[in-house]
Amino acid sequence: MRVIKHVVILLGALAFSASVSCSGGGVGGLDGGGVGDLASGGIGGSGIAVGTVTAFGSIFVDGVKYKITGDTTITIDGEPGKEERDLAVGQVVTVKWKTDTDGNLLAESVEFDDNLEGPVSIEPDTGELIVLGQKVLVDELTQFAVGPLATGKFENQTDVSEGNILEVSGFEDADGRISATFIRKKADNSDDFLSGDEDKQFEVQGTVDEAPDGGIFTINNNSLRVDASGLDISDFEKGVLVQVKGVEVKSDDFDGTTLSATAIEIEEEDLGGVAGEKVELEGIVTRIDKSNQILVEFFVDRQRVRTDVNTKVFENGTPASISRIKENVKLEVEGELDKSGLVSAHKVFIRKPSQVKIEAIAQQVNLNDSTVTLLGIPVTVNDLTQLDDDRDDDGADAERRFGLERIELGDYLQVRGFEDEDPTGEVSVIATKLERDDPPEDPDEAVSLRGAIKSVEDDSFVILGVTIQTNAATDFERFASLDDLSVGSLVEVKGSLISEKTLLAVEVKLKIKND
């Protein structure tokens, strides 16, 4: 956890009656999507929430609303006195809250600290992003933003260029990579970023690999060398969690990047709360310490969590075994702190990958059911759905207040989510992310659809209840013909509608693991 314990070195000489709609059936509501005890109202007390910002209007973290008042302290990268508008959807924040007499969750403080800030390099063979020696993973839920010194389009990973200065927020996984929930391009290059402001520095967090030798040490499994020459790091030892600020330099005797440190802070590795406080914690399982049929003791980031016989585990709204808790699984924990600082888990919600993609115009909006229909597919927007408005003609305030009630028929929407397992056979989707954007200029790519194949015919197939028609002009990627596809294959289609539920495919791409 990014809670500062104490500052070791400052500057070197050189250098809950929350407003949520809990839907039934275990989707995005109680016992389903991860909005549980905190949102039940009238609970009293206080707590800590660590998770992704999903919306504004006060602040929503993992679907739970925390009311921002005049007494709320908002701190960004160690600087207090910030405002709600300085935060963004996708950032991982820590909220300390208490309840008022009506059961509302009041944010006492909101803190955001990025994981990384520095120049990016791009692996030529894989396209992987590496910032200050650390791999950064991008997925369907990663939010992209642009800073004041950056130029050009920046909407997805393909817009990242070698040397861009990136600010990354996300969750560390078991392999030491950062699964990015938010990436902002701060500047086009290091010179633009560092010039004219002596306070600007690169930042990285990591664990010290070995005790420093002559002011030099490495972090994050030798992925970055830190040169702290001239600074007092006598109390540093192996395993200490540090945040380093400095200026990147190249070194002939180290195969990688060296950071010339101007400031180093030792950080707490847990939440730092008090016994009895309620906790909502989102992240990735980084380590399993103990595991049997009734108990799992594991770490989310560096926070220790323990289940017991009373812990309820859910996977996509369905009760699941605790054996589903494994390394690199993304989940959310609800529980409370004990005297040792461990989180005793009451509920664990395992998150489903967002394999479904729909990009099309809104055909119908139903506020009563919290659904919007695209391609005849009802899409449910719930408390955990990340909401973003990227349309060019909308102001900043409208973008931050974007929600289902602001969608109009004909709006071009981009949805990421997963197929709801409806026992009646009706096809529907649960949205994990919904964006409004300007439609593409090419009419042949006005519609995009990704999902698992339900059936295959000679020249067509069905995904999510939509018939995909192919012809001689359709481009097949990673397969030669429809004979190579089977039920369950994951495909992505671009094309145009020729009837209400039929899409003429311009391109069909077979998706593979890690796409």
Side-chain angles (χ1 to χ4, degrees), residues 7 45 55 71 114 118 126 139 141 180 189 205 211 218 255 312 326-327 330 358 364 400 412 461 473 475 488 500 506:
V7 176
D71 295 326
D114 53 38
T126 64
D139 63 21
L141 298 184
N189 52 63
Q205 183 192 48
T218 62
D255 184 19
K312 297 178 181 179
K326 301 176 181 179
E327 286 188 356
K330 187 176 183 180
I358 309 172
Q364 181 179 345
R400 296 181 70 80
Y412 184 74
F461 55 93
D475 180 30
E500 183 181 5
V506 173

Side-chain angles (χ1 to χ4, degrees), residues 59-137:
I59 186 171
F60 289 78
V61 177
D62 290 329
V64 177
K65 180 179 180 180
Y66 301 91
K67 187 175 181 180
I68 292 179
T69 71
D71 295 326
T72 304
T73 300
I74 298 178
T75 303
I76 296 179
D77 290 332
E79 295 184 13
K82 300 296 183 179
E83 299 180 13
E84 178 207 307
R85 64 186 179 186
D86 298 316
L87 299 166
V89 170
Q91 291 177 334
V92 177
V93 299
T94 299
V95 179
K96 293 187 177 181
W97 57 267
K98 64 180 181 181
T99 56
D100 64 14
T101 55
D102 296 323
N104 298 306
L105 307 185
L106 305 181
E108 294 186 298
S109 66
V110 180
E111 182 175 354
F112 168 70
D113 277 307
D114 53 38
N115 299 74
L116 294 165
E117 188 168 334
V120 63
S121 60
I122 303 174
E123 285 288 335
D125 296 331
T126 64
E128 286 183 314
L129 306 181
I130 299 177
V131 178
L132 297 178
Q134 198 156 14
K135 288 185 178 181
V136 177
L137 305 181

Side-chain angles (χ1 to χ4, degrees), residues 391-412:
R391 200 165 59 178
D392 287 340
D393 60 355
D394 291 313
D397 184 65
E399 177 182 341
R400 296 181 70 80
R401 307 303 174 188
F402 177 63
L404 193 63
E405 71 283 354
R406 293 182 179 267
I407 296 175
E408 299 178 352
L409 300 186
D411 282 351
Y412 184 74

Side-chain angles (χ1 to χ4, degrees), residues 162-233:
E162 185 88 14
N164 286 167
I165 306 304
L166 302 185
E167 176 187 39
V168 179
S169 177
F171 301 108
E172 185 175 348
D173 70 10
D175 301 308
R177 303 168 299 185
I178 300 299
S179 179
T181 57
F182 176 85
I183 297 177
R184 174 185 280 131
K185 183 167 74 165
K186 300 292 287 286
D188 293 332
N189 52 63
S190 295
D191 289 341
D192 289 349
F193 180 72
L194 296 173
S195 63
D197 189 344
E198 61 183 16
D199 292 330
K200 284 187 177 178
Q201 302 169 83
F202 302 137
E203 300 178 15
V204 62
Q205 183 192 48
T207 302
V208 176
D209 295 320
E210 298 291 343
D213 181 12
I216 305 294
F217 61 95
T218 62
I219 61 174
N220 297 331
N221 297 318
N222 293 309
S223 65
L224 180 72
R225 184 168 75 167
V226 177
D227 183 351
S229 300
L231 304 179
D232 182 9
I233 53 174

